[in-house]
Amino acid sequence: MTHSDCKIDVQCNNTHHSLESGREEKEHWRLAMKLCSVASLATLLFSLLLLSLFFAFSSAAYNVTYDRRSLIIDGQRKLLISASIHYPRSVPAMWPGLVQTAKEGGIDVIETYVFWNGHELSPGKFYFGGRYDLVKFVKIVQKAGMYLILRIGPFVAGEWNFGGVPVWLHYVPGTVFRTNNEPFKNYMQKFMTFIVNLMKQEKLFASQGGPIIMAQVENEYGDTESIYGDGGKPYAMWAAKMALSQNIGVPWIMCQQYDAPDPVINTCNSFYCDQFNPNSLNKPKMWTENWPGWFKTFGARDPHRPPEDIAYSVARFFQKGGSLQNYYMYHGGTNFGRTSGGPFITTSYDYDAPIDEYGLARLPKWGHLKELHNAIKLCEHALLNSEPTLLSLGPLQEVDIYEDTSGACSAFIANMDDKNDKIIEFRNVSYQLPAWSVSILPDCKKVVFNTAKVGSQTSIAEMVPEKLQPSVTSPAKDLKSLKWEVFVEKAGIWGEADFVRNGFVDHINTTKDTTDYLWYTTSVQVDENEEFLRKGSQPMLLVESKGHALHAFVNQKLQVSASGNGTVSPFKFRSPISLKAGKNEIALLSMTVGLQNAGPYYEWVGAGLTSVKIEGFSNGIKDLSTYTWTYKTGLQGEHLSIYKADGLNNVNWVSTSEPPEKQPLAWYKAVVDAPPGDEPIGLDMIHMGKGLAWLNGEEVGRYWPRKASTHEACVDKCDYRGKFSPNKCSTGCGEPTQRWYHVPRSWFKPSGNILVIFEEIGGDPTQIRFSRRKIKGVCALVSEDHPSFELEPRLEDKATVTLKCPRNSRISSVKFASFGTPTGMCGSYTKGDCHDPDSTSVVEKVCLNKKECAVELTEQNFNKGSCSSTEKKLAVEVVCG
Ligand code: GAL
């Protein structure tokens, strides 16, 4: 029984699970009714018999095993392309679309971590609702006819708060994470068993007819195992054994685990894995994390990995015997609420992935990889059923030829030179190889794909700002301008103090991460004869903190804000403050910005103040570190849940159409309409300082338009050639790392939406906008010799420019078209010396008012004879409207 058979069964059995499936059920009935009207009763009965036989068989389990070459599913070797999509990083309404876009991109498998701290909220108390509805997510993948790899961990790293492990576990006495420690192992085993049983109950393992073909225990432990000393190896071996004892009927993997014991397969995570080999000749070569971009931290640049290099790494991996490759991430999504790891990981987890944070295909990356997947799939049989012959074609050029007994032959020719293009001869044919590229020849003759030749269209995305519209249900409607309601917190202890202590406590040990905020307050007496008062000078505040960020208030006035730098959380500063004669209230608001998510013993990394001094007194420095400090965890507004429907009235909001600007510790509330259209929405916070946002009680997350330094290196155009590292091709120097914050459409009602903002430093809420993410146009540039997928040789060159506007839009005008020698990039193409003057009219004829079109670079369309010595290209930019 093959997996695709299974999927049909599941579609029919699980129709009650989602809206989508409900729709499908209706379609089935409509189809059945039509059939009834045309078919004879006998035919119908016969069809029903066939259908029931089909369903009876299709729920059968299927067998997943492996050998040294690949996974073997029901006796068939499989070459698999996989994609990480993490369910809590989007919303259930987005899941079917994301999975479908992955499938259209040539993906066979969805890979996800399981997020322990999102599920086990306190010991033994589980949550699987909303974004954490793991079963629903797995069933959506199943319904799409795809496989799933479940990386249970339960430690995951993943730029996720505390690496996915619940914070409460750190406070279970005697617990040390990820080592041979009884409490940790005990809780880990309980959680893993719970998840496995849940999957078994829902029949989601392949061994039960479900989509899960592999599961992972731990995550990259091999990289830190030795640092855990005597506890390291025994823990890793225990984890493997415990996983195997779960009897899931499909293989277990451990990534970056060089000593993974049989039958657990060790897999590779890196930007390149062609040189990786598993630790036994009986295990297949699998790549669980190929990073097609990278994550961002507040205040850092925006990293991009060029599609040519991703494709190169993937092609090299399959060339060198790989059989399963996964993109981490294929859709990165959003770290909603306070789920991002830290310190400083942004709320956006876009990752420059093939599907962007908002769920739109990122082009050309998505399209280029789709073509790559098609090309690799054409080689599947030869690749998996023969041993390669390696032929050197030069110092940095090589071909691997896979020829099976049936005579099928596929070849991958690589040019590993990161500077120079090369022309090589292979089987009496000469091939031109761009630098740092792989050509794929599914029949050993014709190049159908070269990793460095991007023919896929590029899309031009923009964020279209929309003023916040007062809602019909809001009393402000008649004012035509939005009315904000404001509540300003007191700086320092609100309500009763939590406790009083001489000196400092650790921030995380105190808040237990129930909030980002901890108040440290004390007071300082200043004699009226103090010199700095007489001179009118300012004393200096000296602070040292383990992190992550701090606002210092004196007598209710914000004096200074500071934070760690990039990914380093400790910081210190020296800054002038204003003190008055008599008693001065010192209120320091310490903040975490996501807890550590990886590294040996990461759970012990602390935060908060370690030293506070004031310099400038006549009798020397005052060291406040030993003073008596009064503590309060969290904000009053958080405590009263004033961002949720049932807590909104817990404070007295002041209503105004001119909310205070630059007001620290301010809560803002507005009742707004949903923005028009159906495009995804980002909340534009460029005019705000730092804080948290909610819509209708749903946590948008931390915002902080902190800027990336102008001193770092950013690029306009990335040279794809050569090894990639996250700092290689960054953009955004001098700009906020994250300006827009994803608010899923499904969180909006048409009107009466309650937007709540907590602003720490002070901003201008009247400038807050919803922005619609729109694809305003698409471009493509294809050369005459661009590889095409037609394996049969044709008389005519069929290089083609294909263009497609997003749904609900059509090609409304042709902004640029030139057949000849155009140059430049999408958005700024220019004509070259050679230009066919009919280019625009040809493209208009084929494309105008269409959703999609294909313009062939043929003699009929263009004047191919002119400027004959040069290779010609067609560049097109169209507007979608
Ligand atoms: C890996 C880790 C992932 C993620 C990735 C970087 O080492 O396994 O969870 O953190 O790095 O995005």
Side-chain angles (χ1 to χ4, degrees):
M1 188 56 49
T2 66
H3 181 62
S4 47
D5 292 335
C6 260
K7 108 200 152 185
I8 298 173
D9 165 57
V10 169
Q11 280 180 353
C12 296
N13 283 343
N14 290 333
T15 42
H16 56 282
H17 285 296
S18 71
L19 259 181
E20 284 292 309
S21 43
R23 228 174 277 141
E24 201 151 294
E25 198 170 32
K26 271 191 211 139
E27 282 305 314
H28 284 173
W29 277 112
R30 216 173 287 149
L31 195 70
M33 295 315 283
K34 263 194 195 161
L35 274 176
C36 284
S37 61
V38 290
S40 71
L41 192 63
T43 323
L44 190 65
L45 284 176
F46 183 60
S47 317
L48 284 175
L49 182 72
L50 278 182
L51 271 175
S52 51
L53 273 175
F54 176 70
F55 291 146
F57 281 107
S58 56
S59 61
Y62 55 99
N63 203 3
V64 183
T65 57
Y66 63 82
D67 67 4
R68 57 169 294 280
R69 190 61 188 92
S70 72
L71 282 187
I72 300 172
I73 300 186
D74 262 354
Q76 283 202 336
R77 289 184 188 289
K78 288 280 176 188
L79 189 150
L80 295 168
I81 313 278
S82 168
S84 288
I85 299 179
H86 293 158
Y87 53 98
R89 284 178 155 143
S90 57
V91 289
M94 289 171 71
W95 294 343
L98 294 174
V99 169
Q100 198 51 39
T101 308
K103 190 173 179 174
E104 280 164 29
I107 300 294
D108 312 296
V109 186
I110 301 295
E111 192 201 73
T112 183
Y113 282 136
V114 176
F115 296 86
W116 187 1
N117 55 10
H119 292 301
E120 194 167 357
L121 305 182
S122 55
K125 200 173 144 246
F126 290 95
Y127 176 71
F128 287 91
R131 302 199 308 277
Y132 292 91
D133 194 341
L134 173 61
V135 168
K136 181 172 188 169
F137 181 76
V138 178
K139 286 186 176 176
I140 285 170
V141 173
Q142 180 175 33
K143 189 163 174 283
M146 298 167 86
Y147 298 120
L148 188 128
I149 299 173
L150 195 67
R151 301 175 80 189
I152 306 179
F155 165 78
V156 299
E159 291 71 67
W160 188 261
N161 198 41
F162 227 38
V165 182
V167 173
W168 55 255
L169 185 52
H170 180 52
Y171 298 100
V172 170
T175 305
V176 184
F177 291 5
R178 306 182 71 206
T179 186
N180 198 18
N181 169 277
E182 290 312 316
F184 184 75
K185 290 191 317 190
N186 183 20
Y187 280 100
M188 171 169 163
Q189 176 161 6
K190 273 197 200 146
F191 178 70
M192 180 161 280
T193 310
F194 190 92
I195 294 295
V196 164
N197 287 344
L198 180 66
M199 297 297 109
K200 282 184 181 170
Q201 258 166 38
E202 300 284 339
K203 302 211 178 326
L204 293 174
F205 287 108
S207 47
Q208 306 171 290
I212 304 173
I213 51 168
M214 289 202 295
Q216 177 178 300
V217 59
E218 250 296 338
N219 189 67
E220 293 191 336
Y221 191 67
D223 294 338
T224 41
E225 188 173 299
S226 63
I227 304 172
Y228 283 92
D230 288 349
K233 180 120 183 153
Y235 165 69
M237 296 306 119
W238 167 85
K241 205 168 153 207
M242 183 270 285
L244 292 168
S245 73
Q246 302 279 344
N247 278 323
I248 59 175
V250 298
W252 282 95
I253 52 172
M254 290 177 98
C255 60
Q256 297 289 98
Q257 187 72 47
Y258 317 98
D259 53 2
D262 292 350
V264 177
I265 310 165
N266 62 310
T267 63
C268 180
N269 292 353
S270 183
F271 285 110
Y272 306 90
C273 278
D274 47 294
Q275 299 306 315
F276 163 81
N277 281 310
N279 63 11
S280 138
L281 287 176
N282 303 320
K283 297 177 186 175
K285 172 167 168 171
M286 301 200 288
W287 188 0
T288 27
E289 288 187 26
N290 180 1
W291 305 306
W294 201 243
F295 59 89
K296 292 191 282 194
T297 51
F298 286 118
R301 293 165 289 166
D302 196 356
H304 303 282
R305 186 174 181 195
E308 297 93 330
D309 178 61
I310 308 169
Y312 173 80
S313 70
V314 176
R316 285 289 290 157
F317 178 70
F318 286 105
Q319 170 169 7
K320 291 295 167 196
S323 59
L324 182 148
Q325 186 265 161
N326 174 71
Y327 298 103
Y328 181 103
M329 302 295 295
Y330 193 78
H331 169 254
T334 311
N335 296 314
F336 293 112
R338 299 171 52 254
T339 59
S340 73
F344 304 124
I345 288 159
T346 52
T347 299
S348 166
Y349 197 59
D350 177 86
Y351 220 90
D352 199 33
I355 303 180
D356 74 14
E357 175 177 11
Y358 295 88
L360 306 177
R362 170 170 277 118
L363 293 161
K365 192 172 274 191
W366 179 89
H368 190 53
L369 297 177
K370 173 184 168 128
E371 288 178 15
L372 166 73
H373 305 151
N374 286 343
I376 292 173
K377 281 296 167 85
L378 290 173
C379 308
E380 178 170 9
H381 196 267
L383 279 178
L384 296 185
N385 294 290
S386 65
E387 292 297 323
T389 311
L390 173 68
L391 217 68
S392 172
L393 302 169
L396 289 166
Q397 294 74 34
E398 64 181 26
V399 55
D400 284 87
I401 309 151
Y402 292 83
E403 223 159 357
D404 68 18
T405 47
S406 74
C409 179
S410 295
F412 286 64
I413 313 178
N415 180 10
M416 296 167 279
D417 190 322
D418 60 10
K419 287 184 194 63
N420 305 302
D421 298 356
K422 273 269 144 61
I423 295 180
I424 55 98
E425 285 267 305
F426 168 57
R427 296 191 171 178
N428 302 324
V429 180
S430 96
Y431 295 90
Q432 195 264 348
L433 300 176
W436 199 253
S437 80
V438 178
S439 284
I440 301 178
L441 294 70
D443 61 355
C444 282
K445 288 186 209 133
K446 175 153 186 212
V447 176
V448 300
F449 184 84
N450 176 277
T451 56
K453 294 190 177 172
V454 179
S456 158
Q457 75 175 31
T458 297
S459 54
I460 311 170
E462 61 174 0
M463 299 299 283
V464 185
E466 294 286 340
K467 262 193 141 175
L468 299 187
Q469 290 302 325
S471 200
V472 267
T473 58
S474 132
K477 191 70 185 172
D478 45 304
L479 294 177
K480 288 206 179 65
S481 72
L482 188 69
K483 192 165 258 190
W484 285 94
E485 292 176 80
V486 186
F487 164 68
V488 179
E489 295 239 350
K490 181 171 171 243
I493 309 299
W494 50 269
E496 287 207 355
D498 287 348
F499 59 92
V500 178
R501 184 79 33 98
N502 288 338
F504 299 124
V505 294
D506 179 84
H507 180 126
I508 301 169
N509 286 345
T510 311
T511 62
K512 309 251 182 340
D513 198 40
T514 51
T515 165
D516 281 358
Y517 304 100
L518 177 63
W519 284 108
Y520 291 69
T521 69
T522 192
S523 62
V524 172
Q525 282 292 336
V526 177
D527 192 286
E528 58 188 334
N529 297 318
E530 185 55 57
E531 207 177 309
F532 60 73
L533 288 180
R534 275 192 287 117
K535 281 193 184 159
S537 62
Q538 281 190 300
M540 301 297 260
L541 176 69
L542 277 71
V543 170
E544 289 181 26
S545 168
K546 286 179 276 175
H548 305 161
L550 181 98
H551 303 304
F553 294 82
V554 176
N555 301 324
Q556 295 295 318
K557 286 226 158 51
L558 178 60
Q559 307 286 319
V560 54
S561 298
S563 56
N565 203 351
T567 52
V568 184
S569 69
F571 62 91
K572 51 181 169 184
F573 67 87
R574 184 172 175 273
S575 179
I577 52 167
S578 298
L579 294 179
K580 61 178 189 192
K583 186 178 173 190
N584 290 272
E585 289 172 30
I586 312 285
L588 305 180
L589 183 59
S590 174
M591 284 160 284
T592 46
V593 188
L595 301 192
Q596 206 76 29
N597 74 99
Y601 301 106
Y602 73 89
E603 77 271 29
W604 300 94
V605 176
L609 297 175
T610 50
S611 166
V612 175
K613 294 176 183 164
I614 300 178
E615 199 183 78
F617 284 91
S618 4
N619 57 359
I621 294 180
K622 264 193 203 306
D623 189 348
L624 277 52
S625 313
T626 52
Y627 275 36
T628 300
W629 289 81
T630 304
Y631 291 88
K632 187 80 189 174
T633 291
L635 306 167
Q636 187 176 15
E638 286 180 300
H639 178 75
L640 297 172
S641 302
I642 63 172
Y643 49 87
K644 279 196 206 147
D646 54 359
L648 283 173
N649 297 326
N650 287 343
V651 291
N652 287 325
W653 296 92
V654 177
S655 185
T656 170
S657 42
E658 282 174 27
E661 250 184 73
K662 306 243 170 344
Q663 170 65 56
L665 306 179
W667 291 83
Y668 297 101
K669 173 162 80 85
V671 187
V672 293
D673 276 350
D678 64 354
E679 299 90 352
I681 300 297
L683 188 64
D684 183 354
M685 299 301 266
I686 190 151
H687 295 285
M688 300 300 284
K690 177 180 179 300
L692 298 167
W694 295 262
L695 184 89
N696 295 329
E698 302 279 3
E699 315 166 301
V700 176
R702 297 186 184 100
Y703 68 85
W704 191 6
R706 189 186 196 188
K707 288 186 178 157
S709 156
T710 43
H711 297 119
E712 313 236 29
C714 279
V715 295
D716 285 336
K717 189 173 182 327
C718 174
D719 182 354
Y720 75 87
R721 297 171 305 175
K723 286 222 158 173
F724 178 78
S725 68
N727 286 335
K728 185 178 166 189
C729 291
S730 305
T731 58
C733 291
E735 288 166 26
T737 314
Q738 188 179 355
R739 171 174 177 175
W740 289 278
Y741 297 81
H742 183 204
V743 189
R745 272 278 176 191
S746 61
W747 288 358
F748 283 95
K749 303 179 271 184
S751 64
N753 298 286
I754 298 173
L755 178 67
V756 176
I757 309 288
F758 172 67
E759 168 59 46
E760 299 161 10
I761 311 166
D764 181 0
T766 63
Q767 299 296 319
I768 294 176
R769 301 279 181 271
F770 286 128
S771 296
R772 296 193 277 157
R773 187 162 177 83
K774 262 199 141 155
I775 304 297
K776 66 169 182 184
V778 294
C779 309
L781 189 152
V782 164
S783 66
E784 284 177 311
D785 76 338
H786 191 77
S788 87
F789 278 90
E790 311 276 357
L791 276 180
E792 291 302 311
R794 297 202 173 219
L795 286 176
E796 203 174 59
D797 197 331
K798 295 274 279 183
T800 305
V801 159
T802 41
L803 299 163
K804 186 175 178 183
C805 282
R807 67 194 181 95
N808 299 341
S809 68
R810 284 169 190 278
I811 298 167
S812 59
S813 67
V814 176
K815 210 168 164 193
F816 181 93
S818 175
F819 178 80
T821 52
T823 52
M825 294 198 307
C826 177
S828 59
Y829 292 134
T830 47
K831 288 176 203 158
D833 292 340
C834 175
H835 167 71
D836 181 340
D838 293 336
S839 306
T840 304
S841 61
V842 170
V843 176
E844 281 178 347
K845 211 165 113 214
V846 185
C847 296
L848 266 191
N849 299 319
K850 305 250 173 66
K851 280 198 68 57
E852 54 184 297
C853 64
V855 189
E856 291 176 357
L857 279 68
T858 53
E859 197 61 66
Q860 286 98 313
N861 281 338
F862 298 101
N863 181 0
K864 296 191 78 173
S866 65
C867 5
S868 53
S869 60
T870 33
E871 184 206 36
K872 287 175 282 301
K873 302 170 188 162
L874 173 63
V876 182
E877 179 181 341
V878 299
V879 178
C880 298

